[in-house]
């Protein structure tokens, strides 16, 4: 009788332990201010995972470089000093060169096309490689289509761009691409750009409209050309050991939440762009659309660089091939 009772107690204890895992709270840091789409990604994920897990997975968000700039966050999640981040894909190209696929100039037609590619098997194959570097990529989202902002008048030809000291993120492909265009590409940390534009260290920056707004670059940059050369994706990442320490249900909730928010987050950036355009008009910041001739010049300058990176990695080639099958969405 005593043995039977003990068995019942032990069985009940075992079931309780498996059914009621301890809730977990994860720290998620990112490098941008709260207007930016990357913050919106973090908020959407937090809300979705807390709902899907019934509060079993909670996320505390630390925006605006509280846990570090782009580089520090990349290293923090890789080595486990930061649980999670939404961070620029370009920050991981040194670790995993195939991530350059997401920012090949001129191959994805619009936000709808980017949303399609973000959920594609080709994108997933690239993200899965980050597991080799201590991280799990739950999804890829967007910070906005990139354009060209100058401290003076907007550029309207390739000749206008020649020699301009232009900030690019510290990434080999960006340096190659903008060298081909003829600017003077200047790698620089994101948090240093405002002061560099203000002091004249930079003449220009290739940047998304939402960063112009969130970082107040309109105070120091006075002309925008809507080149739309590539998107600014961000991975939602969690340290691999941290992810593996979660229960299967917690892991499943995180994956479901990350997948659920992809398309709504990306398409919301298009709406944010429209709001920024209105604000720039109110500030009398000139915004110009490139002529067909200028756009053709720009694409021709980028083309050899695109070909070089496609040839370098079969995952990049597969991603680019899929992207080229997309057609622009009806406006």
């Amino acid at each position: 009788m005593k043995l039977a009772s003990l068995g019942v107690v032990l069985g009940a204890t075992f079931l309780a332990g498996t059914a009621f895992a301890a809730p977990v709270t994860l720290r998620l840091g990112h490098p941008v201010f709260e207007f930016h789409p990357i913050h919106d990604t973090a908020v959407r994920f937090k809300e979705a995972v807390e709902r899907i897990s019934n509060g079993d997975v909670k996320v505390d968000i630390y925006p605006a470089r509280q846990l570090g700039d782009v580089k520090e966050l990349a290293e923090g999640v890789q080595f486990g000093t930061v649980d999670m981040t939404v961070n620029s894909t370009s920050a991981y190209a040194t670790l995993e060169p195939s991530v350059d696929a997401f920012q090949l100039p001129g191959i994805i037609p619009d936000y709808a096309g980017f949303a399609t590619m973000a959920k594609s098997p080709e994108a997933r194959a690239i993200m899965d490689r980050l597991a080799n570097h201590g991280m799990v990529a739950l999804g890829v989202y967007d910070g906005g289509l990139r354009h060209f902002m100058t401290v003076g008048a907007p550029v309207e030809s390739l000749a206008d761009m020649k020699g301009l000291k232009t900030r690019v993120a510290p990434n080999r492909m960006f340096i190659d691409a903008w060298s081909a265009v003829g600017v003077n590409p200047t790698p620089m940390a994101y948090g240093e750009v405002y002061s560099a534009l203000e002091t004249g260290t930079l003449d220009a920056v290739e940047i998304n409209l939402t960063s112009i707004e969130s970082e107040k670059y309109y105070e120091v940059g006075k002309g925008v050309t809507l080149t739309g050369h590539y998107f600014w994706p961000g991975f939602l990442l969690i340290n691999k050991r941290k992810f593996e320490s979660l229960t299967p249900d917690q892991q499943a909730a995180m994956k479901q939440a990350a997948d659920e928010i992809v398309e709504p987050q990306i398409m919301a950036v298009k709406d944010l762009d429209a709001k920024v355009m209105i604000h720039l008009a109110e500030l009398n910041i000139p915004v110009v659309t490139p002529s067909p001739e200028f756009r053709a010049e720009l694409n021709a300058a980028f083309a050899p660089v695109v070909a070089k990176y496609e040839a370098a990695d079969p995952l990049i080639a597969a991603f680019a091939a899929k992207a080229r099958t997309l057609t622009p969405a009806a406006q």
Side-chain angles (χ1 to χ4, degrees), residues 171-182:
N171 172 286
R172 184 71 254 171
M173 186 177 72
F174 297 155
I175 295 170
D176 288 348
W178 291 102
S179 295
V181 168

Side-chain angles (χ1 to χ4, degrees), residues 56-273:
D56 200 30
V57 179
K58 295 185 180 296
V59 177
D60 289 341
I61 300 171
Y62 296 83
R65 301 183 277 280
Q66 291 182 50
L67 301 184
D69 206 337
V70 173
K71 183 176 184 291
E72 289 78 22
L73 287 167
E75 293 173 347
V77 173
Q78 182 183 10
F79 298 116
T81 57
V82 178
D83 295 328
M84 298 188 70
T85 189
V86 187
N87 206 10
S88 301
T89 59
S90 63
Y92 301 90
T94 301
L95 284 177
E96 180 42 63
S98 65
V99 303
D100 280 329
F102 293 103
Q103 292 178 288
L104 290 173
I107 67 165
I108 300 177
D110 51 24
Y111 283 110
F114 187 82
T116 296
M117 292 306 302
K119 297 188 76 169
S120 68
E122 290 80 6
R124 175 41 62 191
I126 294 167
M127 288 188 280
D128 284 348
R129 281 193 177 179
L130 291 173
N132 298 328
H133 306 286
M135 296 168 283
V136 174
L138 295 169
V140 63
Y141 308 88
D142 192 52
L145 193 56
R146 299 288 270 200
H147 305 291
F148 201 83
M149 186 176 208
T150 57
V151 296
V155 297
E156 298 193 59
S157 69
L158 216 59
D160 291 344
M161 304 174 88
K162 296 295 183 184
L164 293 180
K165 291 177 293 183
T166 303
R167 186 267 176 172
V168 299
N171 172 286
R172 184 71 254 171
M173 186 177 72
F174 297 155
I175 295 170
D176 288 348
W178 291 102
S179 295
V181 168
V183 306
N184 178 8
T186 306
M188 184 178 292
Y190 183 63
E192 300 172 8
V193 176
Y194 184 102
S195 61
L197 290 168
E198 185 177 36
T199 60
T201 303
L202 291 174
D203 301 313
V205 58
E206 60 87 23
I207 198 71
N208 40 296
L209 294 175
T210 47
S211 284
I212 292 174
E213 181 73 16
S214 65
E215 300 285 336
K216 298 185 178 180
Y217 291 155
Y218 52 74
E219 296 177 345
V220 288
K222 299 303 180 184
V224 177
T225 304
L226 299 176
T227 48
H229 38 272
Y230 43 69
F231 291 85
W232 198 251
F235 288 132
L236 173 61
L237 294 164
I238 181 169
N239 174 265
K240 185 179 179 184
R241 288 191 301 274
K242 174 64 73 171
F243 187 73
E244 290 174 346
S245 75
L246 304 178
T247 68
D249 284 348
Q250 290 169 336
Q251 293 178 6
M254 295 187 75
K255 290 179 178 179
Q256 182 180 338
D259 186 65
E260 178 182 294
I261 68 170
V262 171
E263 188 167 358
Q265 185 278 328
I266 292 169
M267 297 311 297
V269 185
K270 182 179 178 182
D271 296 333
L272 281 175
D273 281 355

